[in-house]
Amino acid sequence: MNLEKVVFGFFITFAAALNFGFFLGQIDDVTVHNGIELAAALVTSLVATVLKFGDRTQLGAIHLATSLVADLQLLIAAGMWVWAGQVAVSGMTGAHMSVVVSLSGGALLANVVSVVLMVSEIIQVRR
Protein backbone atom coordinates (compact mmCIF):
# COMPACT_ATOMS: atom_id res chain seq x y z
CA MET A 1 0.00 0.00 0.00
CA ASN A 2 1.31 3.42 -1.00
CA LEU A 3 0.61 6.01 1.74
CA GLU A 4 0.84 8.89 -0.75
CA LYS A 5 -1.96 7.39 -2.86
CA VAL A 6 -4.06 6.78 0.25
CA VAL A 7 -3.79 10.43 1.30
CA PHE A 8 -4.46 11.57 -2.26
CA GLY A 9 -7.54 9.34 -2.56
CA PHE A 10 -8.76 10.41 0.87
CA PHE A 11 -8.71 14.11 0.06
CA ILE A 12 -10.31 13.69 -3.37
CA THR A 13 -13.11 11.58 -1.96
CA PHE A 14 -13.53 13.79 1.12
CA ALA A 15 -13.76 16.94 -1.00
CA ALA A 16 -16.44 15.31 -3.16
CA ALA A 17 -18.37 14.11 -0.11
CA LEU A 18 -18.32 17.51 1.60
CA ASN A 19 -19.34 19.24 -1.59
CA PHE A 20 -22.16 16.75 -2.11
CA GLY A 21 -23.37 17.37 1.44
CA PHE A 22 -23.49 21.10 0.82
CA PHE A 23 -25.15 20.67 -2.58
CA LEU A 24 -28.05 18.55 -1.30
CA GLY A 25 -31.32 20.30 -0.55
CA GLN A 26 -33.60 22.80 -2.18
CA ILE A 27 -31.46 25.15 -4.21
CA ASP A 28 -32.87 28.45 -2.90
CA ASP A 29 -33.49 27.50 0.73
CA VAL A 30 -31.01 29.47 2.83
CA THR A 31 -31.62 27.34 5.94
CA VAL A 32 -30.66 24.04 4.27
CA HIS A 33 -27.10 24.89 3.16
CA ASN A 34 -24.34 25.33 5.74
CA GLY A 35 -21.52 27.82 5.22
CA ILE A 36 -19.11 25.80 7.34
CA GLU A 37 -19.62 22.80 5.07
CA LEU A 38 -18.89 24.98 2.05
CA ALA A 39 -15.71 26.25 3.72
CA ALA A 40 -14.66 22.70 4.60
CA ALA A 41 -15.26 21.60 1.00
CA LEU A 42 -13.14 24.51 -0.23
CA VAL A 43 -10.23 23.80 2.14
CA THR A 44 -10.30 20.07 1.38
CA SER A 45 -10.38 20.77 -2.35
CA LEU A 46 -7.41 23.13 -2.02
CA VAL A 47 -5.44 20.44 -0.14
CA ALA A 48 -6.31 17.91 -2.85
CA THR A 49 -5.04 20.36 -5.47
CA VAL A 50 -1.72 20.80 -3.68
CA LEU A 51 -1.30 17.01 -3.53
CA LYS A 52 -1.67 16.82 -7.33
CA PHE A 53 1.21 19.16 -8.09
CA GLY A 54 3.85 16.42 -7.98
CA ASP A 55 2.26 14.11 -10.55
CA ARG A 56 3.83 14.70 -13.99
CA THR A 57 1.77 12.17 -15.96
CA GLN A 58 -1.00 13.01 -18.42
CA LEU A 59 -3.58 11.66 -16.01
CA GLY A 60 -2.03 13.78 -13.26
CA ALA A 61 -2.44 16.87 -15.43
CA ILE A 62 -6.12 16.08 -15.92
CA HIS A 63 -6.48 15.49 -12.16
CA LEU A 64 -4.92 18.90 -11.54
CA ALA A 65 -7.16 20.59 -14.11
CA THR A 66 -10.35 19.13 -12.61
CA SER A 67 -9.21 20.11 -9.15
CA LEU A 68 -8.46 23.66 -10.24
CA VAL A 69 -11.94 23.90 -11.73
CA ALA A 70 -13.47 22.70 -8.45
CA ASP A 71 -11.32 25.17 -6.48
CA LEU A 72 -12.31 28.08 -8.69
CA GLN A 73 -16.00 27.25 -8.48
CA LEU A 74 -15.86 26.86 -4.70
CA LEU A 75 -13.86 30.09 -4.28
CA ILE A 76 -16.44 32.02 -6.28
CA ALA A 77 -19.26 30.35 -4.31
CA ALA A 78 -17.61 31.27 -1.01
CA GLY A 79 -17.04 34.83 -2.22
CA MET A 80 -20.67 35.08 -3.22
CA TRP A 81 -21.72 33.74 0.19
CA VAL A 82 -19.59 36.35 2.00
CA TRP A 83 -20.71 39.16 -0.31
CA ALA A 84 -24.40 38.29 0.09
CA GLY A 85 -24.11 37.91 3.85
CA GLN A 86 -21.90 40.90 4.61
CA VAL A 87 -22.20 43.45 1.80
CA ALA A 88 -25.55 43.06 0.06
CA VAL A 89 -28.31 45.25 1.45
CA SER A 90 -30.89 42.48 1.17
CA GLY A 91 -28.68 39.90 2.89
CA MET A 92 -28.63 36.28 1.80
CA THR A 93 -31.70 35.72 -0.36
CA GLY A 94 -32.92 32.68 -2.22
CA ALA A 95 -31.50 34.08 -5.45
CA HIS A 96 -28.06 34.47 -3.88
CA MET A 97 -28.23 30.96 -2.44
CA SER A 98 -29.20 29.59 -5.86
CA VAL A 99 -26.00 31.01 -7.32
CA VAL A 100 -23.88 29.61 -4.49
CA VAL A 101 -25.43 26.14 -4.76
CA SER A 102 -25.14 26.17 -8.57
CA LEU A 103 -21.43 26.96 -8.32
CA SER A 104 -21.08 24.19 -5.76
CA GLY A 105 -22.81 21.84 -8.21
CA GLY A 106 -20.24 22.68 -10.86
CA ALA A 107 -17.48 21.95 -8.39
CA LEU A 108 -19.21 18.68 -7.50
CA LEU A 109 -19.16 17.67 -11.17
CA ALA A 110 -15.41 18.36 -11.30
CA ASN A 111 -14.96 16.33 -8.09
CA VAL A 112 -16.89 13.41 -9.58
CA VAL A 113 -14.71 13.49 -12.71
CA SER A 114 -11.65 13.46 -10.48
CA VAL A 115 -12.94 10.46 -8.50
CA VAL A 116 -13.78 8.60 -11.73
CA LEU A 117 -10.26 9.27 -13.04
CA MET A 118 -8.78 7.99 -9.79
CA VAL A 119 -10.84 4.77 -9.94
CA SER A 120 -9.98 4.24 -13.63
CA GLU A 121 -6.29 4.64 -12.78
CA ILE A 122 -6.63 2.01 -10.05
CA ILE A 123 -8.33 -0.38 -12.46
CA GLN A 124 -5.55 0.09 -15.06
CA VAL A 125 -2.83 -0.60 -12.49
CA ARG A 126 -4.47 -3.88 -11.42
CA ARG A 127 -4.56 -5.26 -15.01
Side-chain angles (χ1 to χ4, degrees):
M1 180 172 62
N2 186 342
L3 183 61
E4 180 182 332
K5 292 195 183 284
V6 171
V7 171
F8 178 70
F10 169 78
F11 276 102
I12 287 178
T13 308
F14 194 42
L18 286 170
N19 200 1
F20 183 70
F22 177 80
F23 183 74
L24 281 182
Q26 190 166 349
I27 193 166
D28 61 345
D29 189 352
V30 178
T31 61
V32 173
H33 305 284
N34 188 337
I36 294 173
E37 195 167 14
L38 178 64
L42 175 61
V43 169
T44 308
S45 183
L46 289 171
V47 170
T49 301
V50 169
L51 291 174
K52 293 174 187 173
F53 280 135
D55 192 355
R56 296 182 186 265
T57 64
Q58 180 66 31
L59 193 59
I62 296 171
H63 270 293
L64 182 60
T66 58
S67 192
L68 288 172
V69 168
D71 291 347
L72 183 61
Q73 296 251 334
L74 289 173
L75 278 170
I76 295 170
M80 179 71 185
W81 182 291
V82 170
W83 177 82
Q86 303 297 321
V87 178
V89 176
S90 59
M92 180 63 84
T93 63
H96 294 138
M97 185 54 73
S98 295
V99 173
V100 171
V101 173
S102 294
L103 288 165
S104 170
L108 179 61
L109 179 63
N111 289 144
V112 168
V113 169
S114 202
V115 169
V116 168
L117 287 173
M118 182 181 68
V119 170
S120 69
E121 184 180 19
I122 291 169
I123 290 171
Q124 282 182 341
V125 168
R126 292 210 177 248
R127 290 186 176 183

